[in-house]
Amino acid sequence: VGGVAIAAGGRPEDGAIVVWVARDDGDPQVHVGHVDRRGKRTSEIQLTTTKGDASDVAAAWTGDGWLIAWVDMRDGNGEVYATKVDRELNRMAREERITNAPGDAGDVSLVVQGDKAWLAWSDPRESPREGLADIFTTTLHTRDAKRAGDEVRVLATAAHSRSPELALAGDGAMVAWIEEGPTGLDAPSAGMVARLDEVGHVVGRPGVIPMAGHGRATALALGPAADGLRAIIARNDRDDVTLDAVGIALDGTAGQPWALLDLDAPGTFEVALALTGDALYFDDIGRSAADHRVRRAALSWSR
């Protein structure tokens, strides 16, 4: 009920963890399962036990274990928490409360480099009643999941900012997100990107991720490249859903976008994206509306 996160270890023998939220006696709690190099489950734990709905899980490998972050309602509203487990899923740190603000945080994203992690989330603290969020970031120590820097609002806007995605870029990171206008297919909605330094502060001005045609940006995915990042954006335009591709330089400057493919799904379809290397994974509708499937596309980024 709170999404699923998967994070591989550093070597094949480390396997990977799968993190999810399940209802235990009606109370959603965070669970963690370990799988080996063949995908076979080897162990599972219930990570949280405090009463309060949990959601929006994220995970990342740290070299000796995994950082795990999630949103927890134990304090009366949705706050971001984080902790760390080792290869055997033993807890290596206490549960650290990362945020303390009105409104319900969500859409947690996490990346790690060396002894530091960048954490991003969507946060409506400036307008908790309306639920219009901005994107916030901070950094964590990988040894104990404690905050290493200040909370930073990436960009203050009147629109609803959601679904942040983090990726490493040089000595820092980049965060991309959806800037969503009012409900409706013709309402403006765009992908945005900002560069973060080593302490999680914004460098320069956030910019728009261009699309290859008219439409609303509804989802995005990031992947690393030698000269920056690669981004995939889902563009919904009335009766169509198109996936666009664009390169982003290390300074946050976006290149020329191009259209990859059209989905079979209708324009109201909310596609999920995952980009790994030269492979793009996404969900789509088959020959009938009840026929949902996951597709894979192999990409060549040279133009």
Side-chain angles (χ1 to χ4, degrees):
V1 296
V4 175
I6 302 175
R11 305 167 299 170
E13 52 265 37
D14 293 322
I17 61 168
V18 182
V19 188
W20 70 97
V21 175
R23 293 189 183 276
D24 299 296
D25 297 325
D27 192 25
Q29 300 288 346
V30 178
H31 290 247
V32 184
H34 182 269
V35 296
D36 63 20
R37 62 190 301 169
R38 295 176 178 83
K40 181 180 179 181
R41 185 175 63 179
T42 60
S43 59
E44 178 186 332
I45 64 167
Q46 180 178 322
L47 186 69
T48 60
T49 57
T50 304
K51 187 174 179 61
D53 291 357
S55 62
D56 295 287
V57 292
W61 172 253
T62 65
D64 59 351
W66 287 271
L67 276 183
I68 300 171
W70 69 97
V71 173
D72 204 303
M73 297 285 289
R74 67 181 66 177
D75 302 301
N77 64 300
E79 303 287 355
V80 179
Y81 278 75
T83 192
K84 184 179 181 180
V85 297
D86 64 15
R87 289 178 172 87
E88 286 72 43
L89 304 188
N90 299 307
R91 192 186 294 273
M92 301 177 68
R94 55 179 290 178
E95 294 179 6
E96 296 290 339
R97 179 172 171 175
I98 306 302
T99 63
N100 185 5
D104 296 330
D107 301 338
V108 179
S109 182
L110 183 67
V111 294
V112 166
Q113 182 167 259
D115 60 356
K116 187 173 297 181
W118 287 261
L119 180 69
W121 65 96
S122 179
D123 197 317
R125 64 181 63 182
E126 299 298 329
S127 56
R129 291 187 178 181
E130 295 80 7
L132 298 176
D134 290 320
I135 302 302
F136 283 75
T137 64
T138 192
T139 51
L140 308 179
H141 295 294
T142 59
R143 65 177 181 273
D144 54 14
K146 290 184 177 181
R147 266 181 43 183
D150 300 327
E151 292 180 358
V152 176
R153 181 162 59 174
V154 176
L155 182 66
T157 69
H160 177 55
S161 306
R162 63 168 178 87
S163 307
E165 292 285 335
L166 281 166
L168 297 175
D171 294 330
M174 288 194 202
V175 59
W177 70 95
I178 299 297
E179 194 74 7
E180 191 171 74
T183 302
L185 285 178
D186 293 327
S189 179
M192 302 287 294
V193 64
R195 183 182 168 201
L196 307 175
D197 64 14
E198 295 180 358
V199 295
H201 291 174
V202 178
V203 179
R205 291 180 59 84
V208 175
I209 302 176
M211 296 185 291
H214 181 269
R216 300 176 65 248
T218 59
L220 57 82
L222 297 179
D227 55 351
L229 298 179
R230 296 165 174 173
I232 304 294
I233 302 179
R235 172 167 50 90
N236 293 38
D237 185 19
R238 296 186 179 272
D239 297 328
D240 301 310
V241 181
T242 302
L243 301 185
D244 292 342
V246 61
I248 301 175
L250 286 174
D251 63 359
T253 303
Q256 184 71 25
W258 68 96
L260 285 177
L261 53 89
D262 296 322
L263 273 61
D264 294 329
T268 55
F269 187 72
E270 296 289 339
V271 65
L273 303 169
L275 182 62
T276 171
D278 292 328
L280 170 66
Y281 296 84
F282 58 98
D283 59 330
D284 196 1
I285 289 177
R287 295 182 178 180
S288 70
D291 181 16
H292 285 237
R293 56 188 62 181
V294 175
R295 300 185 188 273
R296 180 183 63 198
L299 306 180
S300 173
W301 287 83
S302 59
R303 283 180 62 89

